[in-house]
């Protein structure tokens, strides 16, 4: 029973990590790549340990359902995340800051884009929790959660202006 709790807790955390992503973003592309490789190795080790741990489950149906869930989640990780580490070209999709929003409380939200492929662009807003010259810790922050007056620094145009998000909607 203890092993089952450990396995399913780890599976829930791995599934959450798959959909939420890493809150840590390294600003140097070389460090970012190295840390992604380290993260891949840690996740591979976790899946290996979970699969081994599932082998000691005595009830066969629970053992096979657990192993099936581990394999399905592992395949999702392969399809969704690991491919970026093994890019053979010089192209490495990285988030680029477009705009920095700051409100009167000092909260900072960064609007970012990424060229996933030559015709596909991703956009996201991230609320900054901690930032220095090497890395940034942030969480997804949809524009619907933003309200009131924000000062916007447009990095691309190098301009600053104020916007009332409530009036914009």
């Amino acid at each position: 029973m203890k092993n089952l709790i450990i396995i399913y807790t780890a599976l829930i955390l791995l599934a959450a990590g798959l959909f939420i992503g890493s809150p840590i973003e390294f600003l140097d592309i070389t460090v970012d790549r190295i840390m992604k490789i380290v993260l891949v190795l840690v996740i591979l080790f976790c899946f290996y340990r979970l699969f081994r741990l599932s082998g000691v489950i005595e009830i066969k149906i629970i053992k096979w359902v657990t192993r099936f869930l581990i394999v399905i989640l592992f395949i999702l990780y392969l399809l969704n995340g690991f491919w970026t580490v093994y890019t053979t070209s010089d192209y490495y999709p990285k988030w680029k800051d477009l705009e920095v929003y700051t409100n009167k409380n000092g909260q900072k939200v960064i609007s970012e884009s990424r060229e996933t492929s030559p015709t596909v662009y991703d956009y996201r807003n991230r609320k900054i929790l901690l930032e220095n010259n090497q890395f940034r810790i942030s969480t997804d922050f949809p524009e619907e959660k933003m309200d009131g007056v924000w000062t916007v620094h447009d990095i691309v145009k190098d301009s600053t202006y104020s916007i009332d998000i409530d009036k914009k909607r």
Side-chain angles (χ1 to χ4, degrees):
M1 184 65 168
K2 178 183 171 187
N3 289 338
L4 211 52
I5 292 171
I6 292 171
I7 291 170
Y8 281 98
T9 302
L11 286 176
I12 289 169
L13 291 173
L14 285 167
L18 182 66
F19 291 104
I20 295 170
S22 173
I24 301 173
E25 178 182 359
F26 291 91
L27 303 178
D28 182 303
I29 194 164
T30 306
V31 174
D32 187 61
R33 246 191 171 161
I34 291 169
M35 293 312 294
K36 281 192 177 167
I37 291 171
V38 169
L39 184 62
V40 165
L41 293 175
V42 168
I43 290 172
L44 281 172
F45 180 74
C46 286
F47 276 111
Y48 167 76
R49 292 297 299 154
L50 288 174
F51 200 77
R52 292 279 312 246
L53 197 57
S54 69
V56 299
I57 298 172
E58 295 174 3
I59 303 171
K60 289 204 183 284
I61 188 73
I62 295 175
K63 175 193 242 178
W64 290 110
V65 166
T66 303
R67 284 193 164 178
F68 176 77
L69 290 174
I70 292 169
V71 168
I72 291 296
L73 191 58
F74 180 72
I75 290 170
L76 288 174
Y77 262 94
L78 282 176
L79 293 175
N80 193 39
F82 290 163
W83 68 273
T84 56
V85 174
Y86 300 108
T87 349
T88 55
S89 70
D90 289 339
Y91 176 70
Y92 184 70
K94 183 106 171 84
W95 291 100
K96 294 180 179 71
D97 298 346
L98 299 177
E99 297 175 322
V100 179
Y101 294 81
T102 310
N103 68 5
K104 63 181 178 184
N105 299 329
Q107 292 178 320
K108 201 193 283 190
V109 175
I110 294 186
S111 178
E112 298 178 312
S113 74
R114 173 179 67 181
E115 184 180 0
T116 305
S117 71
T119 59
V120 177
Y121 289 86
D122 296 324
Y123 296 93
R124 69 180 184 180
N125 288 335
R126 304 283 289 178
K127 181 177 182 181
I128 305 302
L129 304 174
L130 177 69
E131 182 176 35
N132 67 24
N133 293 340
Q134 299 297 319
F135 66 93
R136 171 188 302 156
I137 299 176
S138 61
T139 60
D140 282 332
F141 198 75
E143 193 171 308
E144 295 82 37
K145 289 185 177 181
M146 296 172 68
D147 59 351
V149 178
W150 292 75
T151 303
V152 182
H153 176 69
D154 189 327
I155 295 170
V156 178
K157 297 177 183 174
D158 195 26
S159 63
T160 303
Y161 57 92
S162 291
I163 186 169
D164 188 345
I165 299 289
D166 296 329
K167 289 182 181 177
K168 183 181 171 186
R169 289 185 194 142

